[in-house]
Amino acid sequence: PMSAPHPDEPSLAALTPREQCMRILHLATYYHPHWTGLTKYAQRLAEGHAARGHQVSVLTSRHEPALPTRERVNGVDVYRLRTAARISRGVLMPSFPGAARELIRRHDIVVVHVPMLETWLITSLARGLERPAVVVNHGDLIMPVGGFNQLVQKSLRWLMSKGLKNAAAVTTHSSDYAEHSEFMRPFQEKITAIYPPVEIPRADSAAMNALRARLGVGDAPVVGFAGRFVEEKGFDYLLQAVPLIAKEIPEVRFAFAGERNVVYEDFYGRWAHLFEQEPDRIASLGLLTDERELATFYAMCDAFAIPSRTDCFPSVQVEVMLSGTPVVTTDIPGARVAVQVTGAGLLVKPKDPEALAAGLVRVLRNPEEFTHSRAEIEAVLGIERSLEAYERLFERLAEAQPRRPAVA
């Protein structure tokens, strides 16, 4: 039986079933307007399939009290549950088991975006209700150093691995990452590699010029970097590379977009001295959540640095490529794929400020060697290709299950 809902949680009985191609349920710890690569991925996938005529729902946390418990956003029914506590990057939702069970039985396909604490519960419920579950692995969980963090990592990985055993299929952003992932090695027969669904508006030249003027960079070459300032993103290597790049190109400037003070990890605090000792060379724009602002930022840059320690396939680099800016990315499994398949950038040795500096200097001095048109990037990494690949996977899984009538 479904547990009693909290008074400010949505009524699942109010769900009105509609006969459409497929009924797809996404489950994720966070969803829009929460802003990470994972949430953007889930949103683009959900809204993309809704636009194609499927009935799409999302069950997620009500991570901000002001958010509605139920709303329809761009054709997607979003259900948010009250959170009782936070555990590192995750949250506890007391009514999640009952709500998940009720929504799973009303849909044909269940999509779990991991890392997610409830992965095992979700795939177990889906299996019991004979609904195929697809686990989307957004990257192996890698926590910062520290006893508690490592305990969380080990425990959550164990739970998620049990969840993957119950899943009908597992997707990852590239076969390169899957082949090098110790976590996914036992599930190779279930894995389908699908490039992330990525899109970005075209930048306006007037807005680009206005941003350059606001930052006071004039015609100087600008190196951009973006994301949460956490250890896995490797921004400390870029900060160490700044004086090396400036020695070769004295007029160079740097611009950062993202969160510096992350709740669950104070990595910025360890490197703030390098960030702050270059106040005239490094500008911080904060977290940009408007996609037109992001497009302006990406297109304004002359090169973009992605110095990650680990990263399965940072969607930011595809957004940057679509905006006409070449990237310099560390040569690590998954993260290197976008450069390999497009040629719109350069790969450098990971964890090496000197190699990163040399790569950025080369791209800044020879941009035409690494710049490709938007059409060329879309031909390989366009969002429609991703949506179609997921659609084919969902259809294959749905056909293996008998079509059930809509549940009132």
Side-chain angles (χ1 to χ4, degrees), residues 22-26 107-111 131-132 134 394 397-398:
M22 284 184 287
R23 295 164 294 183
I24 305 167
L25 172 65
H26 290 264
H107 290 78
D108 303 310
I109 298 291
V110 177
V111 185
R131 302 311 198 261
V134 177
F394 293 168
L397 295 174

Side-chain angles (χ1 to χ4, degrees), residues 30-31 33-34 61-69 80-81 83 86:
Y30 302 104
Y31 190 71
H34 193 272
S61 69
R62 190 182 180 198
H63 64 274
E64 294 290 345
L67 290 171
T69 56
R80 298 189 181 91
L81 302 179
T83 64
R86 179 184 295 273

Side-chain angles (χ1 to χ4, degrees), residues 33-316:
H34 193 272
W35 198 259
T36 65
L38 187 156
T39 55
K40 284 199 292 183
Y41 186 116
Q43 182 185 12
R44 287 166 177 163
L45 194 58
E47 292 180 1
H49 284 147
R52 286 170 170 245
H54 302 292
Q55 177 182 320
V56 184
S57 303
V58 172
L59 181 61
T60 187
S61 69
R62 190 182 180 198
H63 64 274
E64 294 290 345
L67 290 171
T69 56
R70 179 183 176 185
E71 65 176 335
R72 189 167 176 81
V73 182
N74 296 328
V76 177
D77 290 313
V78 181
Y79 297 85
R80 298 189 181 91
L81 302 179
R82 178 180 61 92
T83 64
R86 179 184 295 273
I87 302 179
S88 186
R89 304 181 190 183
V91 296
L92 291 179
M93 296 172 277
S95 62
F96 185 88
R101 184 183 187 283
E102 185 66 16
L103 281 174
I104 287 170
R105 75 183 186 90
R106 295 171 183 257
H107 290 78
D108 303 310
I109 298 291
V110 177
V111 185
V112 194
H113 295 271
V114 302
M116 187 174 187
L117 179 65
E118 297 86 358
T119 303
W120 182 22
L121 170 63
I122 295 164
T123 57
S124 296
L125 289 171
R127 188 172 185 178
L129 293 167
E130 298 183 318
R131 302 311 198 261
V134 177
V135 174
V136 182
N137 183 19
H138 292 268
D140 300 350
L141 180 66
I142 299 177
M143 298 291 291
V145 296
F148 176 73
N149 285 330
Q150 292 307 302
L151 176 62
V152 170
Q153 175 178 302
K154 185 176 181 179
S155 302
L156 193 50
R157 278 195 175 192
W158 180 78
L159 285 171
M160 288 194 300
S161 67
K162 292 178 72 67
L164 266 64
K165 288 179 182 178
N166 288 332
V170 178
T171 70
T172 187
H173 302 356
S174 73
S175 56
D176 179 46
Y177 190 81
E179 290 165 2
H180 290 83
S181 166
E182 181 180 350
F183 173 69
M184 288 191 287
R185 190 165 296 135
F187 311 104
Q188 292 296 319
E189 74 283 353
K190 294 184 178 184
I191 292 175
T192 299
I194 302 176
Y195 294 151
V198 181
E199 60 182 348
I200 195 78
R202 293 180 183 273
D204 176 77
S205 57
M208 290 164 52
N209 292 334
L211 180 56
R212 276 185 165 267
R214 179 160 67 89
L215 296 177
V217 297
D219 296 327
V222 176
V223 175
F225 59 115
R228 292 166 294 122
F229 205 104
V230 293
E231 186 172 8
E232 63 184 306
K233 297 300 181 183
F235 294 143
D236 51 317
Y237 297 119
L238 178 59
L239 294 178
Q240 294 174 68
V242 167
L244 302 177
I245 300 167
K247 184 177 180 181
E248 297 293 326
I249 307 176
E251 68 274 22
V252 71
R253 296 293 183 269
F254 297 80
F256 171 69
E259 293 180 278
R260 290 191 292 185
N261 299 307
V262 181
V263 173
Y264 56 83
E265 182 179 347
D266 184 27
F267 189 67
Y268 174 73
R270 292 161 54 187
W271 296 98
H273 63 287
L274 291 184
F275 205 107
E276 294 165 358
Q277 74 183 17
E278 299 274 6
D280 298 328
R281 197 178 292 280
I282 306 176
S284 180
L285 285 74
L287 180 63
L288 302 180
T289 59
D290 182 274
E291 293 209 331
R292 293 199 175 277
E293 290 183 347
L294 275 171
T296 299
F297 168 59
Y298 295 148
M300 176 206 71
C301 298
D302 298 280
F304 211 86
I306 302 176
S308 304
R309 286 174 166 83
T310 62
D311 214 325
C312 70
F313 195 119
S315 58
V316 63

